Amino acid sequence: MKYNFEDIPPERPWNIYGRWINTPSDVIFDLLKSYKLIKKYFESKIMRILMLFLRVLHIIPYTLGWTQGCKFRATREKLSNLSMGCQLIKKRQTENENPPIDLVLITIGRRIVAGTLKAIDHLTIKPYTVIIIDFSMRRSRIIDNWIKKQHKFNIIVCRCKNMLPIWVARNIALKLSDNEYIAFLDDDCIPTRTWLEMLYSHIRKKEKIAAVSGTVYPLTHNPVGTYFSFYRIHEPPRDLTHITLNNAILRREAIVNVGGFRPLPFWGGEDIDLSFRLLANGYKLSYEPRGVVYNFYPASIVYMVKKFFMYGKAVGYLASQYGLEKPGIFSLKRRKPNNKVYRY
């Protein structure tokens, strides 16, 4: 593949905030447009065909999800009917002079988290506190064994008895955090040694920068990982209309000022929703290519279809809520921002 991952992410041939597939002919048009981009970077004909096949597995589930999400009408009951069952199971205090950063790791018990925890220990600058929100619903030996080791930062672990929406997990972390900056990682992302240092140095440049996302490389070199990385699915779009929270650092005060993470009816989309409210309140978002994490992508068609259907539902719902306008044009209707603080 003739592709330089250090480049600015290529222009995506679709607008994620709108439904760009309306008829069967739109599918053909999208594939033709995608083929021009794929042909530019892939020399192998087999790889080009495979990427086009994966493109179909992207746009169709995404469109179906987007349509369903756009028509969904959330009610207070649907958003509040949650049994959290969260318990603070470990808090270990260590005196340190680390930067004022709380690093949040959200995990559902995947084995890859062992690599993530090991990578955190080898960061060039250490966070002041590592906050682990564990959704695995059972005691994790990997996390327990890691806690027993000596570390140069504080450790807080919160284990949840139920699989809760991601916005709940992020609000729990926000409540446990008490430092100026808060960084987010997922348990399938392994950061490089300089990851936190690069994001931290970037966000400190200007006070108006509320959030910075970094680069995501594939940890596993399979077609699914190649597709996600080629289209930069887990990175911010070029116009920086939102950041992605699998690899980001934010000003904690900015999140609190816009009301924290709001209740959403679907898994995901909380990073886009937060980004919209930050922009509406005069904050800026940014991208730091040197803040690199490696994401694990299963070589599974089922994984890919489920992922894009889930993304489509979340974005479709937000598109209807924010009144996003014409395809290809990012525009938020001027509304009074909802800065209500949600407490849990």
Side-chain angles (χ1 to χ4, degrees):
M1 182 173 65
K2 301 179 295 183
Y3 191 78
N4 182 6
F5 283 100
E6 302 300 325
D7 292 341
I8 295 176
E11 184 177 359
R12 297 170 179 171
W14 79 91
N15 171 21
I16 70 166
Y17 307 115
R19 176 180 169 178
W20 74 99
I21 301 295
N22 296 286
T23 65
S25 61
D26 289 339
V27 175
I28 298 174
F29 176 77
D30 181 273
L31 292 177
L32 290 174
K33 195 172 182 180
S34 298
Y35 182 73
K36 292 180 181 179
L37 184 64
I38 292 170
K39 185 178 180 181
K40 182 178 178 181
Y41 293 103
F42 292 89
E43 297 177 340
S44 169
K45 290 183 179 180
I46 295 177
M47 197 62 189
R48 292 175 185 174
I49 295 173
L50 184 56
M51 289 290 283
L52 283 177
F53 172 69
L54 295 178
R55 181 66 182 168
V56 174
L57 297 182
H58 174 179
I59 61 177
I60 293 179
Y62 186 92
T63 301
L64 294 174
W66 196 96
T67 303
Q68 182 176 326
C70 192
K71 294 179 180 178
F72 185 85
R73 294 295 175 262
T75 63
R76 185 178 295 274
E77 290 74 19
K78 290 179 180 178
L79 294 177
S80 62
N81 187 21
L82 297 170
S83 175
M84 287 176 43
C86 295
Q87 181 183 8
L88 192 66
I89 64 167
K90 186 75 176 181
K91 185 169 184 178
R92 177 169 156 186
Q93 295 291 344
T94 303
E95 292 295 330
N96 64 69
E97 298 180 355
N98 297 342
I101 308 170
D102 291 327
L103 173 55
V104 177
L105 175 63
I106 297 177
T107 177
I108 58 174
R110 287 178 282 202
R111 283 178 165 269
I112 191 68
V113 74
T116 307
L117 295 172
K118 183 177 180 181
I120 291 174
D121 281 326
H122 291 88
L123 292 172
T124 52
I125 65 169
K126 305 293 191 292
Y128 191 87
T129 304
V130 172
I131 301 171
I132 300 176
I133 309 297
D134 186 5
F135 275 4
S136 60
M137 295 181 286
R138 61 182 181 274
R139 199 169 187 87
S140 171
R141 291 184 180 179
I142 294 175
I143 294 175
D144 288 345
N145 292 336
W146 183 76
I147 292 173
K148 294 175 184 177
K149 299 178 182 179
Q150 293 297 320
H151 304 282
K152 297 180 180 180
F153 40 75
N154 298 334
I155 297 175
I156 299 175
V157 178
C158 182
R159 182 157 287 132
C160 303
K161 297 179 181 179
N162 301 313
M163 178 66 72
L164 302 176
I166 189 67
W167 60 266
V168 176
R170 300 207 189 278
N171 272 326
I172 294 171
L174 188 62
K175 186 176 181 180
L176 294 173
S177 172
D178 57 6
N179 274 299
E180 183 178 359
Y181 301 96
I182 182 168
F184 286 96
L185 267 180
D186 288 347
D187 66 350
D188 58 354
C189 292
I190 297 180
T192 58
R193 294 184 71 250
T194 59
W195 166 74
L196 190 59
E197 180 181 356
M198 295 297 103
L199 295 185
Y200 179 54
S201 62
H202 189 116
I203 199 171
R204 295 175 65 194
K205 291 178 181 178
K206 297 180 181 178
E207 291 185 4
K208 277 295 182 180
I209 298 179
V212 180
S213 277
T215 302
V216 180
Y217 291 165
L219 180 65
T220 48
H221 292 282
N222 56 51
V224 174
T226 300
Y227 183 88
F228 271 80
S229 300
F230 178 72
Y231 277 109
R232 304 296 182 98
I233 303 298
H234 286 147
E235 291 184 16
R238 287 183 77 171
D239 51 8
L240 287 176
T241 48
H242 75 263
I243 49 98
T244 52
L245 289 178
N246 64 329
N247 168 13
I249 189 170
L250 303 92
R251 294 184 188 274
R252 183 177 174 276
E253 183 180 11
I255 305 176
V256 173
N257 287 344
V258 299
F261 296 94
R262 297 195 302 177
L264 296 174
F266 305 118
W267 183 278
E270 80 290 348
D271 44 9
I272 298 177
D273 178 65
L274 177 67
S275 299
F276 287 174
R277 286 182 287 124
L278 288 172
L279 292 172
N281 280 269
Y283 291 104
K284 294 183 178 180
L285 310 177
S286 193
Y287 170 72
E288 174 52 70
R290 296 175 298 172
V292 177
V293 302
Y294 287 85
N295 200 111
F296 172 76
Y297 297 102
S300 168
I301 291 177
V302 175
Y303 163 84
M304 188 167 179
V305 170
K306 285 184 176 180
K307 206 75 169 176
F308 283 118
F309 183 73
M310 176 184 70
Y311 289 163
K313 284 201 301 184
V315 177
Y317 174 75
L318 291 174
S320 66
Q321 293 297 304
Y322 280 91
L324 300 184
E325 297 175 339
K326 300 176 183 179
I329 300 176
F330 174 77
S331 175
L332 290 177
K333 290 183 177 179
R334 292 189 177 276
R335 299 178 180 177
K336 186 177 180 180
N338 182 356
N339 293 339
K340 179 180 178 181
V341 177
Y342 295 90
R343 302 185 183 279
Y344 306 93

